[in-house]
Amino acid sequence: MRFANLDGRAVLLQADRALDIATASDGRFPADPSLVFDRWDDLRAWADTVDVAGHEAAQPFDPQRLAAPSPRPRQVIGVGLNYADHAAESGLALPEKPVVFTKFASSIAGPDVEVSLPGDTVDWEAELVVVIGRGGRDIPEAEALDRIAGFTVGQDLSERTVQWEGEPAQFSMGKSFASFAPTGPAVVTLDEFADPAALAVTATIVGEDGQESRVQDGNTDQLVFGVADLVARLSATLDLLPGDLIFTGTPPGVGAGMKPPRFLRAGETLTTEIEGIGTITQRFVR
Ligand code: ZN
């Protein structure tokens, strides 16, 4: 199942069609995408009975009208240094427990947005994002995958100067400027992937001159703490709530790790792709 937010309404996607969930279910499910995660298991059972692309109410749609699939998460959790090669390029030791911070929820944006650069050291971090379904507290690792709604694509945009300001550092501030948490284009349930634990993750920058550079090329099979492990560990402290997001960390290839360091500039476009989910794109302006 591919779930998305089209113009503020919850939809299912299949091929080039979108099916409005509230309309097709005769109001059994809410139109507001942020309320659907509370009913995720019911939604999946209903969706199994529906031919999305063949439904009489299914419509062709403009992908540019897709918004954040979970537009108002109550908690947005970031995990740092969760790929060994990225920890190495950051000059930091591999953590023994997940390094956790927040991206404040007002930084959430849709899959295709313009982002104002608040400084000269804004960096990219392509990430697999876990969207919580039923959630809960003290979730055993063996049950963790049943408590999530699915996966989406995210960028953990980071203003490095702000992030590393002060002692201790200010991760959450450096990562929470407007539209610094773009997500989408859809939440994809785990049954849609041949192997949900091995998904290719890439990030590509296109300059104003049209020159393209592939800056990140990783795979989620390299995660230090895998998805089920993260859900279990986080839920030992937090009550994971429907619609919450977990940014699972970035593979190597961020700008701060380059020699010399290289950051995002006005006029550049950043595209992040995850195998089986799709792409998100940000255009940067001053
Ligand atoms: Zn990150």
Side-chain angles (χ1 to χ4, degrees):
M1 184 176 96
R2 299 176 71 87
F3 171 87
N5 173 353
L6 185 64
D7 278 338
R9 291 184 67 92
V11 297
L12 297 177
L13 303 181
Q14 195 175 78
D16 62 345
R17 303 272 149 159
L19 179 65
D20 188 276
I21 290 172
T23 304
S25 70
D26 287 326
R28 179 171 159 193
F29 297 100
D32 181 342
S34 66
L35 301 178
V36 170
F37 297 100
D38 289 318
R39 308 273 307 279
W40 192 259
D41 294 343
D42 283 350
L43 176 72
R44 284 200 64 179
W46 172 78
D48 278 346
T49 69
V50 176
D51 172 13
V52 174
H55 196 284
E56 58 180 10
Q59 302 276 347
F61 69 98
D62 175 0
Q64 294 217 320
R65 285 166 43 213
L66 292 171
S70 179
R72 286 190 297 283
R74 287 166 283 188
Q75 303 179 100
V76 183
I77 298 142
V79 178
L81 307 175
N82 204 17
Y83 289 78
D85 297 356
H86 172 59
E89 75 178 345
S90 304
L92 298 164
L94 211 55
E96 285 171 21
K97 292 180 178 178
V99 174
V100 177
F101 55 88
T102 188
K103 288 174 84 70
F104 290 103
S106 62
S107 63
I108 292 292
D112 193 337
V113 291
E114 197 168 86
V115 180
S116 272
L117 292 168
D120 297 324
T121 53
V122 175
D123 205 347
W124 56 87
E125 295 192 357
E127 304 200 5
L128 177 74
V129 175
V130 174
V131 184
I132 299 297
R134 191 156 24 113
R137 233 185 238 285
D138 295 322
I139 300 170
E141 189 174 339
E143 286 177 31
L145 298 183
D146 295 331
R147 307 291 189 94
I148 73 175
F151 293 156
T152 195
V153 182
Q155 256 295 333
D156 177 15
L157 293 171
S158 304
E159 216 299 323
R160 299 297 188 201
T161 305
V162 176
Q163 177 185 349
W164 292 108
E165 224 162 39
E167 181 74 45
Q170 296 277 13
F171 271 48
S172 300
M173 294 303 280
K175 291 167 173 281
S176 294
F177 288 94
S179 299
F180 264 37
T183 53
V187 176
V188 180
T189 52
L190 270 54
D191 59 299
E192 298 274 338
F193 301 97
D195 181 357
L199 304 175
V201 180
T202 62
T204 305
I205 296 173
V206 179
E208 242 174 339
D209 56 2
Q211 179 129 9
E212 200 174 291
S213 32
R214 170 67 53 87
V215 286
Q216 289 188 285
D217 193 353
N219 193 293
T220 61
D221 64 3
Q222 298 299 308
L223 282 170
V224 177
F225 302 101
V227 169
D229 190 13
L230 282 176
V231 167
R233 288 170 184 262
L234 290 165
S235 74
T237 301
L238 307 174
D239 192 3
L240 293 174
L241 304 169
D244 282 354
L245 304 179
I246 305 170
F247 282 69
T248 57
T250 198
V254 300
M258 293 180 174
K259 293 184 178 52
R262 182 240 193 269
F263 298 107
L264 290 162
R265 293 183 284 264
E268 289 183 329
T269 299
L270 173 66
T271 297
T272 306
E273 179 166 15
I274 299 183
E275 182 182 0
I277 308 175
T279 62
I280 62 172
T281 299
Q282 296 81 49
R283 291 167 304 285
F284 295 91
V285 296
R286 250 304 144 210

